[in-house]
Amino acid sequence: MKALKSSVRLEIDELRQRLQEAEDTIDAIRGGEVDALVVEGPNGEKVFTLEGAEHPYRVLVESMNEGAVSLSRERTILYCNSAFARMVGVSLDRIMGNDVCEFVPKEDCETLKQLIKQALRESVRAEMTLLPSSGDCLPTQFSLNPVDIEGKPSIGIIVTDLSERRRHEQAEAEVRMRDEFLAIASHELRTPLSTLVLRLGLLERHAQAGDMGQVKASVSRAKDQTDRMRRLVDRLLDVSQLASGRLSLDLAPSDFGCVVKEVAERFSEDASSARCELRLKVAEGVIAHLDGFRLDEAIGNVISNAIKYGAGKPIDVELKMDDHKATLIVQDRGIGIPVEDLSRIFGRFERTTVSHNYGGLGLGLYIAKQVIEQHDGSIRAESRSGGGAQIVIELPLVKNTDGKGKN
């Protein structure tokens, strides 16, 4: 009995060894490392040559950096090279025989299906996203071409990894943005600095002449220009902190309405100078978790924009609430915001296509958006049908046990 068991184990071990040898041979053939096979037959050894007209192409496909895939018309993967397997992070044996749509996000499947149908008739190229097993999306370009495999219409795909190109494009965009910012910042800082130098010169002459009335006027105007420069520098520092993730908030339950009123009061003189009637409507007892200083700055940026682009016309500032959120609407009747710019204006250094003659760093709404979102709120821009624009800010309310905002 023991001898029988030992014999069975030997047979199993021998089969395993043969299977391993077969797998090693297949891997060597697939990698182009084997040019021929010697097979022992009834009439002696026979040599089967593997290297033919297609051999160099097989080696080339296996060694290329781009992914190579062949599909049936039903989207089944008939073959793929090692580069494609690395892109999707799945071994070769688990790829072939599957639907190619399994390796792209679900929302891209329908697009890929349409491309495959088109590729049965003609060559087509499109950017697609691969979904590797790691879960990190990989931007790629699919070049699909109709091919004939053993008399059956099929599709050949070359998959190019675009991640390096995307990083390069992003780096170039950041350099362009930096250069544009430096140009804008130098212009914006030069204006108040030049005015300040002029005012200080006048101040010196008036002081020497003993004209105290003119001295006071020059001091006042010099202070205005200094304040303007301080605001510009503060915005630059805010952007630096936001970019490095160091902008922290000191949140506490506070009255949103009080913050809005204080900002409106501070900008009342600016509104008057711009011939804007600042109309305020604020609900009572709007309590939310706020960093009063940062929220004051964010709302100030929004109202400042409304005054700049809506000069000469009324500006409505309304704060209201429901059971779940507080809503602040700042509405002007100025030049408005083109539809294509409604979301873009919240980007760094971004301005609308109609606002370039108004100056500014293009940072106010960007900072406002970052601050509002750190309050778990939202901010959006809307065009008004009667002209002008409105900025809508929404923040969650502090809840009572009965589910209503505090009063």
Side-chain angles (χ1 to χ4, degrees):
M1 188 68 177
K2 288 183 179 180
L4 179 60
K5 288 183 178 179
S6 177
S7 175
V8 170
R9 279 198 300 270
L10 288 172
E11 289 181 6
I12 292 174
D13 290 341
E14 185 178 355
L15 287 172
R16 284 176 177 169
Q17 184 176 354
R18 289 180 181 179
L19 180 60
Q20 183 62 49
E21 290 174 353
E23 289 179 348
D24 291 343
T25 301
I26 291 172
D27 288 340
I29 293 171
R30 180 182 289 145
E33 300 168 9
V34 175
D35 298 323
L37 292 175
V38 179
V39 179
E40 182 74 31
N43 299 320
E45 294 181 345
K46 286 188 177 182
V47 178
F48 293 88
T49 302
L50 298 177
E51 184 168 5
E54 79 286 352
H55 178 72
Y57 299 103
R58 185 176 70 248
V59 174
L60 175 64
V61 169
E62 282 298 330
S63 62
M64 63 194 292
N65 291 325
E66 287 78 10
V69 181
S70 61
L71 300 179
S72 70
R73 63 186 307 157
E74 291 81 21
R75 306 189 306 275
T76 301
I77 297 177
L78 305 174
Y79 164 83
C80 75
N81 67 353
S82 299
F84 182 79
R86 288 194 300 270
M87 287 180 180
V88 297
V90 179
S91 61
L92 287 167
D93 60 328
R94 292 176 55 197
I95 295 176
M96 287 180 273
N98 290 317
D99 189 324
V100 70
C101 287
E102 294 181 18
F103 301 101
V104 301
K106 289 183 179 180
E107 58 270 21
D108 292 346
C109 285
E110 193 58 39
T111 300
L112 182 54
K113 290 177 183 178
Q114 295 304 317
L115 287 172
I116 291 171
K117 287 181 180 179
Q118 184 179 351
L120 288 168
R121 305 185 303 272
E122 59 184 357
S123 297
V124 61
R125 181 179 297 176
E127 292 188 4
M128 293 293 299
T129 301
L130 283 181
L131 191 60
S133 57
S134 64
D136 298 325
C137 291
L138 180 70
T140 66
Q141 178 177 271
F142 276 28
S143 296
L144 301 91
N145 299 278
V147 296
D148 184 89
I149 299 178
E150 298 180 353
K152 297 180 180 179
S154 307
I155 298 162
I157 305 178
I158 298 298
V159 183
T160 305
D161 185 348
L162 297 181
S163 55
E164 187 63 32
R165 185 189 302 179
R166 290 285 181 271
R167 286 191 288 270
H168 181 67
E169 291 172 350
Q170 183 178 357
E172 287 186 332
E174 289 178 353
V175 169
R176 288 195 300 270
M177 185 180 292
R178 181 204 63 191
D179 292 344
E180 181 182 354
F181 162 70
L182 290 174
I184 294 171
S186 62
H187 171 74
E188 292 294 321
L189 289 169
R190 189 183 297 117
T191 300
L193 182 59
S194 298
T195 305
L196 179 59
V197 171
L198 175 63
R199 289 297 170 188
L200 290 175
L202 291 173
L203 176 60
E204 184 180 24
R205 289 196 293 272
H206 293 320
Q208 290 173 351
D211 189 346
M212 296 309 297
Q214 289 296 328
V215 167
K216 289 180 180 179
S218 293
V219 169
S220 176
R221 292 189 179 95
K223 183 177 180 297
D224 290 341
Q225 296 306 318
T226 303
D227 287 342
R228 181 179 175 185
M229 289 182 64
R230 179 186 54 77
R231 289 195 298 270
L232 289 171
V233 172
D234 284 346
R235 287 192 176 184
L236 297 178
L237 291 174
D238 283 342
V239 170
S240 175
Q241 289 180 326
L242 287 167
S244 62
R246 296 197 307 267
L247 185 65
S248 59
L249 301 183
D250 183 14
L251 298 173
S254 307
D255 193 323
F256 194 176
C258 289
V259 177
V260 174
K261 289 176 182 178
E262 289 174 4
V263 176
E265 176 63 27
R266 192 171 71 253
F267 279 91
S268 60
E269 187 174 339
D270 290 347
S272 179
S273 299
R275 296 171 289 106
C276 292
E277 180 188 359
L278 202 56
R279 302 190 298 210
L280 196 61
K281 184 178 179 182
V282 176
E284 297 296 328
V286 184
I287 307 299
H289 284 290
L290 310 175
D291 181 322
F293 175 77
R294 290 298 181 187
L295 188 63
D296 179 293
E297 179 185 24
I299 298 171
N301 289 344
V302 172
I303 293 179
S304 176
N305 264 24
I307 294 172
K308 180 192 295 185
Y309 300 120
K313 297 179 181 178
I315 295 173
D316 291 312
V317 179
E318 181 182 5
L319 176 64
K320 55 187 179 181
M321 66 175 177
D322 57 24
D323 288 341
H324 305 288
K325 65 180 182 298
T327 303
L328 175 67
I329 302 173
V330 179
Q331 184 179 101
D332 68 63
R333 291 159 179 80
I335 62 174
I337 303 173
V339 174
E340 64 272 18
D341 292 335
L342 287 174
S343 60
R344 188 175 63 82
I345 59 172
F346 293 101
R348 244 187 332 174
F349 315 130
E350 294 285 1
R351 292 176 291 173
T352 72
T353 54
V354 296
S355 67
H356 284 79
N357 293 329
Y358 286 77
L361 296 173
L363 292 174
L365 292 181
Y366 166 75
I367 293 171
K369 183 175 187 292
Q370 303 306 310
V371 170
I372 295 301
E373 289 182 348
Q374 287 197 41
H375 280 80
D376 294 327
S378 65
I379 182 170
R380 66 181 183 274
E382 299 174 349
S383 291
R384 294 183 67 254
S385 58
Q390 64 184 25
I391 303 295
V392 181
I393 295 172
E394 294 179 340
L395 294 182
L397 291 171
V398 171
K399 300 296 182 179
N400 276 332
T401 54
D402 60 2
K404 296 182 180 181
K406 287 185 178 181
N407 291 298

